[in-house]
Amino acid sequence: MGDAQTKQAMRASAIAARDSLSAAERARRSAAICDELLAMAVSACKASGRLSPIVAVYAAMRSEVDLDMFIRTAYDRGWRVAFPCMQRAAAGQSMCMRAVSFADYRDGSVPFIKRPVTSFVPAPEDEARFPLVDPREIDVMAVPLVAFDDTGARLGYGGGNYDRYLPLLRPDCLVAGVAFAEQRVDRVPVEPHDRPLSRIIWA
């Protein structure tokens, strides 16, 4: 079996394992992951002297780790919070990050949060409402994943969006993958463009 087929089979298996967790169990473990992510973020920001950091997160789809607790705490602390936004590109789509206010996050009306895989074409008023965030300004980024191994290799959904985005971050940005224990595998097949993660938080 080639790497592409191996990855596809691994995705299906990891997602099925993640889906098998009860909603209550996912919520309990998501809370534990949020606690650890927050502790890491606070420590990293104190070390860098950044009191009002920009954190890049994601809104959970289906059975992914739910970061809502971390997101709400970030807003409570006065941090800026950014979410992935797909945009049209010459080769299909590319990913950027746009800042979202707590009011917009809370009311659930943000188009690129409600439909995360759909290209967002902003109206002029959207540019001010959801400003683009320069990747070099991001201090903390939480990365979703489908499967991972002990070397930090990450298997995503196959679009390569994070593999292309991660190199744009500052070297001192805290980047952490988040997952459930059931998504851990012996070895993720890697290709030259795949970006390993130095930290993966799992529970």
Side-chain angles (χ1 to χ4, degrees):
M1 185 183 293
D3 278 354
Q5 291 174 304
T6 300
K7 284 185 174 183
Q8 195 56 32
M10 189 174 288
R11 281 190 188 96
S13 176
I15 290 173
R18 190 180 71 189
D19 289 346
S20 71
L21 295 171
S22 68
E25 183 65 11
R26 284 199 301 271
R28 183 185 70 78
R29 295 205 219 166
S30 290
I33 290 168
C34 285
D35 284 344
E36 188 170 347
L37 178 60
L38 178 63
M40 280 188 180
V42 168
S43 177
C45 293
K46 281 184 178 178
S48 65
R50 295 184 180 88
L51 301 179
S52 299
I54 298 177
V55 297
V57 294
Y58 68 89
M61 295 189 300
R62 298 181 293 276
S63 59
E64 288 181 331
V65 172
D66 187 353
L67 296 181
D68 182 68
M69 183 182 297
F70 173 78
I71 292 168
R72 288 175 180 271
T73 302
Y75 281 122
D76 286 344
R77 288 173 171 264
W79 298 355
R80 290 185 69 198
V81 182
F83 289 82
C85 176
M86 300 308 297
Q87 57 189 3
R88 292 174 183 169
Q93 286 183 322
S94 65
M95 187 177 77
C96 63
M97 292 286 166
R98 289 185 178 271
V100 174
S101 70
F102 177 59
D104 282 324
Y105 173 72
R106 182 182 54 199
D107 72 20
S109 64
V110 182
F112 50 88
I113 293 180
K114 291 170 65 178
R115 297 179 293 278
V117 297
T118 301
S119 291
F120 176 62
V121 181
E125 59 270 22
D126 292 328
E127 294 291 358
R129 182 181 174 192
F130 309 120
L132 282 170
V133 173
D134 188 320
R136 293 167 297 182
E137 296 180 351
I138 295 173
D139 301 293
V140 177
M141 173 172 269
V143 180
L145 51 85
V146 174
F148 69 97
D149 65 25
D150 290 340
T151 71
R154 165 191 175 271
L155 181 65
Y157 290 97
N161 294 303
Y162 281 91
D163 289 321
R164 291 188 292 271
Y165 196 87
L166 292 176
L168 306 178
L169 302 172
R170 297 193 319 270
D172 65 337
C173 177
L174 170 66
V175 180
V178 293
F180 297 118
E182 284 74 8
Q183 297 170 252
R184 185 175 173 224
V185 298
D186 289 337
R187 186 184 73 85
V188 172
V190 294
E191 299 176 58
H193 64 268
D194 290 329
R195 308 289 301 191
L197 299 174
S198 58
R199 299 174 183 85
I200 295 178
I201 305 171
W202 55 278

